[in-house]
Amino acid sequence: MAADPSSETPSGEKLYEGKAKIIYATDDPAVLLTYFKDDATAFNAQKRGQIVGKGQINCAISTHLFQRLGAAGVATHWLETTGDRTMLVKALQIIPLEVVVRNLTAGSLCKQTGLPLGQRLEPSLVEFYYKNDDLGDPLLTGDRIRAMGLASEEQIGTLRRLALNINQLLTDFFMDCGITLVDFKLEFGLDAQHQILLGDEISPDTCRLWDQSTDDEAQRVMDKDRFRQDLGQVEAAYQRVLERVLAQSPKN
Ligand code: UDP
């Protein structure tokens, strides 16, 4: 590995470029390299922009959260972080579902149900959305998931259990950081042994995170809602999340 991989463009074949990340092949077909970009999109890519430094911050936050979840027994795709925007991950057959866990009402839940913002949900909700930009990532039901052949009854149950376990671990961790985990999105995939692993990223792009030190509705937002809603100070908020995550992580 080069001394400063962050300054390099990954050398492997580009396999896929998404809104926030690029996936490259490596010499090992079972391993992929994920590159975190500064690009940001919202509202199904109708709003586009850049959050300077986001790639590094999300790579670092995801690294720490994957390591923590791994230490707690959650199987994830993370293998090694090789640069300040790059991590090696296990190649997975991605299940095209966005698994959203909600602890407090926000976002599309409020829009679609009329529930007020910030109401605690007991028990937490687990929702499945179809990962398909052309269709606008629609909300699915268990019956629809089975009818579409996206996952079996048993796999849906496993995804729910995994998502709720991860929610407990992340909620407790962010609580120690003085941050409320409002909701978040996970993606899962199957490895060569057909085991379900956590994939993608966990970052302020994919979580709603509220600073517990203020009740102010705009000030408390430490996640991509700052970009979605033009609240300003987006990078600074992401940086504050990283600092708090690092402060709670064991030094080595
Ligand atoms: N989310 C995501 N990617 C998506 C859609 C949602 O990471 O394509 C995250 C979002 O950041 C939030 C949670 O999933 O933490 C729930 O999002 P919601 O359904 O409220 O959608 P939104 O209105 O934010 O698009």
Side-chain angles (χ1 to χ4, degrees), residues 98 100 102 106-109 111 127 129 137 183-185 205-208 225 228:
E98 299 193 336
V100 169
R102 301 182 187 274
S108 69
L109 179 67
K111 277 195 212 106
E127 298 175 336
Y129 294 81
D137 295 346
D183 60 26
F184 59 99
K185 183 263 300 183
D205 270 9
T206 62
C207 302
R208 283 198 170 88
D225 275 348
R228 292 187 187 101

Side-chain angles (χ1 to χ4, degrees), residues 145-194:
I145 294 170
R146 282 188 297 276
M148 294 162 76
L150 299 179
S152 66
E153 182 94 51
E154 190 193 342
Q155 285 175 326
I156 296 169
T158 303
L159 292 172
R160 273 188 67 86
R161 259 197 326 280
L162 289 171
L164 287 171
N165 181 37
I166 292 165
N167 182 43
Q168 194 59 62
L169 294 164
L170 292 181
T171 295
D172 291 349
F173 174 68
F174 278 118
M175 186 67 75
D176 292 341
C177 299
I179 293 172
T180 299
L181 179 60
V182 174
D183 60 26
F184 59 99
K185 183 263 300 183
L186 301 172
E187 294 182 28
F188 294 89
L190 301 171
D191 67 8
Q193 287 73 43
H194 286 270

Side-chain angles (χ1 to χ4, degrees), residues 5-235:
S6 65
S7 62
E8 291 185 346
T9 306
S11 56
E13 185 195 350
K14 192 197 273 194
L15 298 179
Y16 171 78
E17 178 154 5
K19 293 169 206 151
K21 296 188 291 300
I22 308 175
I23 309 295
Y24 293 92
T26 70
D27 294 340
D28 181 348
V31 176
L32 302 174
L33 185 124
T34 301
Y35 177 91
F36 287 75
K37 302 193 287 184
D38 285 350
D39 297 352
T41 63
F43 312 118
N44 200 18
Q46 287 172 50
K47 179 180 171 112
R48 290 173 184 274
Q50 282 229 329
I51 302 169
V52 177
K54 173 172 85 77
Q56 278 118 309
I57 295 172
N58 282 358
C59 184
I61 293 173
S62 281
T63 297
H64 281 269
L65 296 177
F66 279 135
Q67 285 175 332
R68 266 195 116 82
L69 292 174
V74 176
T76 83
H77 71 159
W78 180 83
L79 292 169
E80 185 189 351
T81 293
T82 51
D84 57 13
R85 287 174 182 268
T86 54
M87 60 170 69
L88 294 173
V89 299
K90 289 183 192 167
L92 300 181
Q93 188 192 327
I94 294 293
I95 301 169
L97 291 174
E98 299 193 336
V99 182
V100 169
V101 181
R102 301 182 187 274
N103 298 311
L104 273 75
T105 54
S108 69
L109 179 67
C110 294
K111 277 195 212 106
Q112 292 172 9
T113 63
L115 284 168
L117 177 70
Q119 192 171 303
R120 183 153 292 281
L121 295 158
E122 294 261 18
S124 302
L125 307 192
V126 181
E127 298 175 336
F128 297 93
Y129 294 81
Y130 186 26
K131 202 172 144 55
N132 184 317
D133 285 340
D134 292 341
L135 297 176
D137 295 346
L139 178 64
L140 297 178
T141 63
D143 283 351
R144 286 186 182 189
I145 294 170
R146 282 188 297 276
M148 294 162 76
L150 299 179
S152 66
E153 182 94 51
E154 190 193 342
Q155 285 175 326
I156 296 169
T158 303
L159 292 172
R160 273 188 67 86
R161 259 197 326 280
L162 289 171
L164 287 171
N165 181 37
I166 292 165
N167 182 43
Q168 194 59 62
L169 294 164
L170 292 181
T171 295
D172 291 349
F173 174 68
F174 278 118
M175 186 67 75
D176 292 341
C177 299
I179 293 172
T180 299
L181 179 60
V182 174
D183 60 26
F184 59 99
K185 183 263 300 183
L186 301 172
E187 294 182 28
F188 294 89
L190 301 171
D191 67 8
Q193 287 73 43
H194 286 270
Q195 195 200 349
I196 297 182
L197 267 59
L198 177 64
D200 196 47
E201 66 177 283
I202 311 171
S203 72
D205 270 9
T206 62
C207 302
R208 283 198 170 88
L209 303 167
W210 288 354
D211 187 348
Q212 292 173 351
S213 70
T214 173
D215 284 332
D216 183 275
E217 276 195 16
Q219 265 182 12
R220 69 184 174 188
V221 175
M222 304 178 86
D223 56 67
K224 203 163 96 175
D225 275 348
R226 297 207 77 82
F227 170 76
R228 292 187 187 101
Q229 298 169 18
D230 293 319
L231 297 176
Q233 304 276 314
V234 189
E235 190 200 344

